[in-house]
């Protein structure tokens, strides 16, 4: 069941969609006798999550934003298998640098060059498509940091052969303790949220 969840949370569209994820989590919780106080509704604001804001404004990666929330909860419970677990030093460096680093527009390739391979990829791994990358350490209580991407400019899911250099565009980073509401928007992300006006400083 854990293996099935790990496959579905990475590519929900290939495994019945996002509604399958809470069902799998319910089964895992029941099997592990962790059903008490379990809540799998990602819109819950018990941690003042900024994810609903991201989903509402960034329509392309919305399904991957939701999947990343389920993945984050699964990681806290030890159910998410990480493709890469960051060392304590690498995780601390990411938390320290990411917000300032994202003050300039960035791409998927630049994120991977700067912070290394993700712990988990939510969505299609093709470099030109919308997706969410999650970064986590072995400490399940430490921040689970996610990078949300829109498709590369001019690219879409209908492009069978994307330009070799095409790279998804970073819109936002969630899970940064030093950022307001844990959210940092790139300039491109702010333009998506407030296309007709100068964005307020709330999420800058």
């Amino acid at each position: 069941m854990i293996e099935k969840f790990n496959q579905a949370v990475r590519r929900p569209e290939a495994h019945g969609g996002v509604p399958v994820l809470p069902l799998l989590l319910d089964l895992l919780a029941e099997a592990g006798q962790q059903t008490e106080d379990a809540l799998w509704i990602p819109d819950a604001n018990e941690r003042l999550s900024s994810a609903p804001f991201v989903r509402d404004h960034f329509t392309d990666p919305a399904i991957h934003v939701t999947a990343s929330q389920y993945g984050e909860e699964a990681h806290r419970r030890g159910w998410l298998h990480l493709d890469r677990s960051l060392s304590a030093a690498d995780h601390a460096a990411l938390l320290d640098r990411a917000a300032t680093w994202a003050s300039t527009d960035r791409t998927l390739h630049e994120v991977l060059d700067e912070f290394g391979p993700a712990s988990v990829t939510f969505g299609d791994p093709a470099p030109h498509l919308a997706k969410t990358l999650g970064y986590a350490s072995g400490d399940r209580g430490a921040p689970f940091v996610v990078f949300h991407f829109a498709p590369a400019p001019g690219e879409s899911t209908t492009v069978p052969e994307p330009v070799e250099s095409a790279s998804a565009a970073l819109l936002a980073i969630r899970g940064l303790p030093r950022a307001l509401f844990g959210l940092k928007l790139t300039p491109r992300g702010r333009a998506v949220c407030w296309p007709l006006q100068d964005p307020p400083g709330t999420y800058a």
Side-chain angles (χ1 to χ4, degrees):
M1 191 62 63
I2 287 179
E3 184 59 34
K4 186 173 183 178
F5 170 80
N6 274 272
Q7 293 174 4
V9 79
R10 285 164 166 78
R11 297 293 299 274
E13 69 281 2
H15 294 272
V18 166
V20 169
L21 301 180
L23 299 179
L24 291 172
L25 288 172
D26 279 339
L27 292 173
L28 287 171
E30 183 177 355
Q33 298 182 343
Q34 299 185 31
T35 55
E36 186 176 353
D37 298 326
L39 181 64
W40 309 127
I41 303 174
D43 296 74
N45 291 320
E46 68 274 15
R47 287 188 290 271
L48 296 177
S49 173
S50 56
F53 171 87
V54 174
R55 290 201 313 274
D56 289 346
H57 286 81
F58 304 150
T59 55
D60 283 314
I63 187 172
H64 310 124
V65 175
T66 305
S68 72
Q69 290 178 266
Y70 287 119
E72 178 181 1
E73 189 60 43
H75 175 61
R76 290 194 181 96
R77 293 170 180 260
W79 298 335
L80 184 67
H81 294 161
L82 301 180
D83 300 325
R84 173 195 172 212
S85 181
L86 273 68
S87 68
D90 286 345
H91 190 260
L94 185 152
L95 295 177
D96 186 57
R97 301 199 318 266
T100 301
W101 184 82
S103 295
T104 301
D105 280 327
R106 304 291 185 175
T107 67
L108 174 69
H109 294 324
E110 289 177 297
V111 171
L112 296 176
D113 287 344
E114 183 71 16
F115 300 111
S119 299
V120 57
T121 299
F122 303 97
D124 196 310
H128 69 298
L129 297 182
K131 63 179 55 59
T132 293
L133 300 185
Y135 286 82
S137 70
D139 179 2
R140 300 205 304 265
F144 188 90
V145 182
V146 291
F147 292 69
H148 299 300
F149 296 86
E155 302 288 343
S156 72
T157 56
T158 61
V159 179
E161 297 293 337
V163 176
E164 184 176 349
S165 60
S167 183
L170 180 63
L171 298 178
I173 307 175
R174 283 194 305 109
L176 299 174
R178 298 180 184 177
L180 188 60
F181 299 117
L183 178 67
K184 172 66 181 184
L185 299 179
T186 64
R188 184 186 297 273
R190 294 199 297 272
V192 170
C193 293
W194 298 285
L196 301 179
Q197 62 184 28
D198 291 333
T202 305
Y203 297 96

